[in-house]
Amino acid sequence: MCGRFTLTGIFDELIIRYGIEYALDPFHDPRYNVAPMQMIAAVIHDGERNRLGQLRWGLVPSWAKDESMASRMINARSETLLERPSFRNLVSRKRCLIPADSFYEWKTINGKKQPIRFMLEDESIFSMAGLYDSWICPKSGEKISTCTIITTSPNELVADVHDRMPVILRKEDEQKWINGHNTDTAQLLSLLVPFSEAEMKCHTVSPIVGNVRNDGPECIEKVILN
């Protein structure tokens, strides 16, 4: 699964990275420990251009009676997207990119859960494949836009730690994924594969990552185990 990630760059870096022509007032500050049910940066395509905004991490389908399922819908398995009512209709019409520059997974080492940070070899921003939807609260009428991160089988680097990893799209495939004019389901699903381990690296970090209240640069610092 993918349950924590980072996006340590500044807002202007996102604007440049995703070719955003217009954006709301800067809403993003460097994040070192992003957790489910928080607001996160996301990129969608409105039919003409890329748009950068915020979605809440934890999908609430438009047809849901309440928000109770959100915390259980932070990830969507790529292999079963078309089998799940919550996801299958979104594949064809509500796809997004979720920017990140690393993600965390935990491995038991010497009897303790040890967080490990995975990133690209050059530590640059990458895009996780996501789906999004909007839900309207029956009582208040409030509109809430939420998302889920798609996962796939792990590459060899991640497999030593976890049996799933987020789908990291190659740069050349990002527009194919979010362009709403692309309705080729087979092509879309073919993009949801493990990213090459040859282009990734990882290192151990402090256990403080386990507490969502810790969200500073110390979360990503490399820790040498004794």
Side-chain angles (χ1 to χ4, degrees):
M1 65 177 293
C2 176
R4 298 285 181 84
F5 67 91
T6 71
L7 183 56
T8 64
I10 61 175
F11 188 77
D12 286 351
E13 290 180 73
L14 296 177
I15 296 294
I16 295 171
R17 171 66 171 76
Y18 293 99
I20 305 298
E21 298 177 8
Y22 172 79
L24 301 174
D25 293 337
F27 58 79
H28 170 74
D29 292 317
R31 299 290 309 279
Y32 301 90
N33 195 9
V34 182
M37 304 304 293
Q38 295 178 349
M39 299 300 293
I40 63 175
V43 179
I44 66 170
H45 192 274
D46 65 6
E48 296 182 0
R49 61 187 184 276
N50 288 353
R51 292 174 54 194
L52 176 66
Q54 287 184 299
L55 298 170
R56 195 180 73 186
W57 185 12
L59 188 79
V60 181
S62 60
W63 45 261
K65 294 181 180 179
D66 55 44
E67 300 179 72
S68 60
M69 66 172 64
S71 62
R72 304 190 304 274
M73 303 280 277
I74 64 171
N75 292 156
R77 295 176 67 92
S78 60
E79 301 89 340
T80 58
L81 288 180
L82 301 185
E83 300 171 15
R84 299 286 302 276
S86 300
F87 307 136
R88 62 188 176 208
N89 292 330
L90 303 181
V91 173
S92 62
R93 58 191 180 89
K94 290 190 175 182
R95 304 181 301 272
C96 63
L97 304 176
I98 300 174
D101 51 25
S102 71
F103 64 92
Y104 299 110
E105 292 295 352
W106 277 255
K107 180 179 182 179
T108 300
I109 300 177
N110 298 326
K112 298 180 179 180
K113 286 189 175 181
Q114 173 63 51
I116 299 174
R117 184 187 183 215
F118 293 89
M119 67 211 88
L120 300 190
E121 188 65 44
D122 62 3
E123 301 187 19
S124 62
I125 294 173
F126 56 81
S127 299
M128 298 183 288
L131 301 173
Y132 71 98
D133 208 351
S134 294
W135 177 78
I136 298 177
C137 178
K139 294 181 180 179
S140 67
E142 179 186 9
K143 182 179 179 180
I144 301 174
S145 295
T146 62
C147 66
T148 187
I149 294 172
I150 300 174
T151 66
T152 186
S153 54
N155 59 30
E156 290 188 11
L157 181 69
V158 180
D160 184 54
V161 178
H162 203 277
D163 62 0
R164 304 293 294 175
M165 70 177 291
V167 170
I168 299 174
L169 295 166
R170 303 197 68 81
K171 275 191 178 181
E172 60 266 29
D173 293 332
E174 290 175 354
Q175 290 303 125
K176 295 177 188 176
W177 178 252
I178 60 171
N179 192 327
H181 298 301
N182 185 1
T183 58
D184 187 339
T185 302
Q187 182 198 62
L188 292 167
L189 294 179
S190 72
L191 304 178
L192 307 179
V193 296
F195 196 80
S196 171
E197 64 273 7
E199 299 176 57
M200 294 181 66
K201 63 182 180 180
C202 67
H203 63 241
T204 53
V205 294
S206 170
I208 64 172
V209 173
N211 188 330
V212 298
R213 289 175 291 185
N214 296 320
D215 190 12
E218 62 276 10
C219 289
I220 65 173
E221 293 175 1
K222 184 175 182 179
V223 170
I224 304 299
L225 301 181
N226 294 326

